[in-house]
Amino acid sequence: MKGLAKRIVPCLDVKDGETVKGTNFVNLRKAGDPVELGKAYSRAGADELVFLDITASFEGRKTFTDMVTRVAAEINIPFTVGGGINELSDVERLLHAGADKVSINSAAIRRPELINEIATRFGSQVCVCAIDARLDNDGWHCYVKGGRERVELELFEWAHEVEKRGAGEILFTSMNHDGTKNGYANEALARLSDELSIPIIASGGAGTKEHFRDVFTLGKADAALAASVFHFGEIPIPELKSYLRGEGIHVRI
């Protein structure tokens, strides 16, 4: 499992059909058309993409599903979609529109059986469980509602349960690191990677090429997700990959 190439995954937060980016989950700035950005990332050598519908109201859902159909028609790398997925029919709709995987977060915490249902119906590889957690005074705790509400779940216990229920991957975002560009939560990531056998996607904190190197070496992550450093052209993907390869990290070029 761990001998696979490390993946670079741009993440696009989509609001009303536009890509946006914030810091610590707030202060959103516009970053362009998600389909065009997706195409550009695919051409630049991204391994996968994640599209998150951050305002998944009914209207937003329709806009987002249309976008997924357009993305599927235009790009040829795997992509994951998340936001507002509460039941199997939501998963079905997005897979039918062309998504490869779905990411669930709050819905899985509300009703953990959803993980089992998705894995049983569509296969574990379709189910990415996103966990937003923060290091509080009393340890790592999970949050829902875009990071606004703390729940009584400890990060590592929840991660174990998620794996047991059949999730194929965990997308872990450290809220302390999100948008700060000070590096990933490598200590927590390494512990997740050591304790679990499914791939861990790291999210929150990318600011330099060294941060990507560290997340793969110190953090032992299988994939690194980032947004603003890619959207605003601060770190071109081809440059990042050749740097990582120079550092002895196995990436696809």
Side-chain angles (χ1 to χ4, degrees):
M1 170 73 72
K2 303 293 180 187
L4 297 171
K6 303 293 191 180
R7 291 171 285 149
I8 299 296
V9 185
C11 178
L12 298 89
D13 288 343
V14 180
K15 179 177 191 277
D16 309 325
E18 278 259 11
T19 312
V20 294
K21 180 57 199 149
T23 306
N24 297 112
F25 288 73
V26 290
N27 301 328
L28 300 175
R29 313 189 264 172
K30 290 190 173 177
D33 174 47
V35 181
E36 290 308 314
L37 265 176
K39 272 162 67 174
Y41 288 143
S42 177
R43 283 196 301 267
D47 298 295
E48 293 186 16
L49 297 170
V50 172
F51 293 90
L52 297 177
D53 180 359
I54 62 169
T55 45
S57 61
F58 177 71
E59 217 10 73
R61 246 176 218 198
K62 198 176 145 358
T63 314
F64 189 73
T65 308
D66 293 345
M67 183 215 75
V68 170
T69 308
R70 284 169 51 222
V71 169
E74 298 274 4
I75 71 167
N76 54 9
I77 57 174
F79 70 98
T80 300
V81 294
I85 297 170
N86 296 303
E87 51 196 37
L88 284 180
S89 61
D90 296 324
V91 179
E92 200 138 26
R93 171 173 52 86
L94 293 163
L95 293 178
H96 183 72
D100 297 278
K101 309 180 206 177
V102 296
S103 167
I104 54 172
N105 186 342
S106 304
I109 287 177
R110 261 200 315 277
R111 201 171 68 80
E113 299 75 31
L114 183 60
I115 300 170
N116 306 64
E117 291 166 10
I118 295 171
T120 304
R121 175 86 165 268
F122 304 105
S124 280
Q125 78 288 347
V126 161
C127 184
V128 177
C129 195
I131 302 178
D132 294 337
R134 195 167 78 188
L135 183 54
D136 294 328
N137 294 335
D138 55 348
W140 281 98
H141 284 273
C142 300
Y143 280 73
V144 293
K145 298 191 176 158
R148 285 189 293 277
E149 190 179 298
R150 174 170 151 158
V151 291
E152 280 316 303
L153 277 178
E154 193 270 341
L155 166 63
F156 300 99
E157 282 168 23
W158 176 233
H160 278 279
E161 181 174 345
V162 159
E163 176 174 51
K164 209 163 62 227
R165 287 182 178 275
E169 293 182 277
I170 285 175
L171 166 52
F172 164 55
T173 300
S174 162
M175 292 168 54
N176 309 72
H177 297 72
D178 181 64
T180 62
K181 300 192 181 173
N182 293 327
Y184 291 90
N186 293 324
E187 216 170 293
L189 284 159
R191 184 173 160 192
L192 286 169
S193 193
D194 287 340
E195 292 186 10
L196 304 175
S197 57
I198 56 176
I200 306 296
I201 306 163
S203 163
T208 67
K209 287 181 278 206
E210 290 74 21
H211 292 154
F212 287 91
R213 174 199 65 203
D214 292 348
V215 81
F216 292 134
T217 53
L218 308 175
K220 304 181 186 180
D222 298 275
L225 179 139
S228 52
V229 291
F230 296 144
H231 300 341
F232 301 109
E234 293 158 38
I235 302 179
I237 293 173
E239 201 178 287
L240 172 61
K241 284 194 159 185
S242 66
Y243 164 80
L244 290 172
R245 185 162 273 194
E247 293 287 320
I249 292 160
H250 176 31
V251 287
R252 278 189 210 89
I253 289 189

